[in-house]
Amino acid sequence: MALQSGIFPAFAACYSWAMDSNIAAKLGLPALEKGWVWLVGAGPGDPGLITALGLQALAQADVILFDALVDETLLTLSDAEKIYAGKRAGVRSCKQDEISDLLVTLAKEGKRVLRLKGGDPFVFGRGGEEAQALARAGVNFRIVPGVTAGIGGLAYAGIPVTHRDTNHAVTFITGHGVDGKLTKMDWAAVSRGAPTLVLYMARRFAGEIAQELLAAGRKQDEPCAIVCNAARDNQQVIVTTLARLGAEAEAAEPLCIIVIGQNVMLAKELNWLASAS
Ligand code: SAH
C-alpha cells in the first residue's frame, strides 16, 4: 500500500490549484497576518487531510514550528523557516514552556507564525496550553482544527468512531497522565459509560487498562483494534480481544491508537484502504 507516495502528486497539484486559482478568496479565508500565530492541525498522517486554512497557512507563514507527528511532505510545500519543536526519542526534547515562549517571541517580532501540530491541536496536543500562553501575552491567534487520529485514523482503518448498530457514544482517553503513569481515573465508571473507548498514548498501559476494564465487567472477548501509523504508508491494523490487548499492544508499533468496542467489527467489511490506489 503506497499511501502517501500515491497521494502526493495529486496533493501537490491540488495545492498549487488551491493557491493559484484564488480558492482562498472564493472561500473567504482570512490571511495569516504579521504578528499572528495560527495553531494548525496537520491531521494524522496522509498530507491530503490538512484543511484549506492549513494549506493557506503553509503558503503564507514566515516561520513554522512543527512537531514530530507532522508529515514531512507538508513541510516541503513551504519556503518558511522551519523549527522542530517536538518530542522524539534521540532528539533533544523541547519543553512546553520553551515552545510557548518562542511562539510569543516570534509573533512579537512581527512574524507570521504557523504552529503545526499532528492531528488536531486541541485533542491531547497541548494546543490549549500554547493558546493560553499567547492569550496571556496579548498575541493574536487562530485555532485551525485538524483531523484527529482517534477519529480520522480509525476511518483509515475502516472503523467508524460511532455506528448506529454498535455505539451511540464514545469516550476519548489518554493512557498516561502528566506524571508518565497510567491516567488516574475511575475506570469502573469509564467501563460502564460509552460502549466505545478510544485510547491515545496508551500502548504502554494497554494491559493495565484492559485489566481495569475486565475487573469492571467488560467481556474478555470484546473486540479491540490497535491502529498503528494510521493514515500513513505503513499503517497496520491489529484486531484482537480485550483479553489479548496487553500482549498485542506490547508487540505493536509505538505510534498507535487503541479502540475498544463492537464498532471494531466493521473494520473487515469497511477496509476501503485495501482497494484505494
Ligand atoms: N493531537 C493529536 C494527538 C497527539 S497525542 C491528534 O489529534 O491526533 C499523540 C498520540 O496520538 C499518539 O501516542 C497516538 O496514540 C496518537 N496518534 C497520533 N497520530 C497517530 C497516527 N498516525 N496513528 C496512530 N496513532 C496516532
Side-chain angles (χ1 to χ4, degrees), residues 44 56 88 100-101 125 154 160 167 180 183 187 224 232 245 254 264 273:
Q56 170 162 279
R88 198 183 322 184
S100 297
D101 288 351
L154 298 193
N167 63 305
T183 311
W187 287 100
C224 303
R232 296 170 179 224
L245 181 64
V264 166
L273 195 56

Side-chain angles (χ1 to χ4, degrees), residues 15-16 21 39 42 65 67 85 94 118 133 153 165 169 176 191 232 241 251 254 266 271:
Y15 176 77
S16 111
S21 62
L39 269 82
L65 269 80
D67 77 13
C94 298
D165 296 340
H176 65 76
S191 172
R232 296 170 179 224
T241 60
L266 289 145
N271 181 15

Side-chain angles (χ1 to χ4, degrees), residues 53-111:
L53 279 167
L55 266 188
Q56 170 162 279
L58 277 168
Q60 295 179 340
D62 297 314
V63 54
I64 303 175
L65 269 80
F66 64 99
D67 77 13
L69 294 177
V70 168
D71 180 86
E72 284 173 16
T73 310
L74 288 173
L75 299 172
T76 65
L77 296 174
S78 173
D79 297 329
E81 181 190 350
K82 287 152 202 141
I83 301 173
Y84 176 70
K87 304 170 180 82
R88 198 183 322 184
V91 180
R92 196 185 84 87
S93 295
C94 298
K95 296 216 175 72
Q96 191 56 50
D97 288 352
E98 291 173 3
I99 299 170
S100 297
D101 288 351
L102 188 54
L103 290 172
V104 170
T105 304
L106 291 166
K108 291 204 163 163
E109 285 171 6
K111 303 252 169 64

Side-chain angles (χ1 to χ4, degrees), residues 204-238:
R204 230 174 94 205
F205 298 110
E208 281 178 63
I209 293 170
Q211 287 312 316
E212 296 276 4
L213 296 173
L214 289 168
R218 291 274 184 139
K219 298 274 176 288
Q220 300 262 346
D221 62 355
E222 177 156 6
C224 303
I226 306 168
V227 184
C228 304
N229 303 310
R232 296 170 179 224
D233 260 351
N234 53 345
Q235 174 173 304
Q236 194 195 2
V237 184
I238 301 159

Side-chain angles (χ1 to χ4, degrees), residues 44 69 118-120 123-125 148-149 200-201 227 229-230 232 255-257:
L69 294 177
D120 181 287
V123 180
F124 303 129
T148 188
Y200 291 70
M201 293 177 275
V227 184
N229 303 310
R232 296 170 179 224
L255 184 67
C256 62
I257 278 281

Side-chain angles (χ1 to χ4, degrees), residues 140-157:
N140 288 315
F141 63 92
R142 169 178 283 269
I143 307 299
V144 180
V147 174
T148 188
I151 299 178
L154 298 193
Y156 269 57

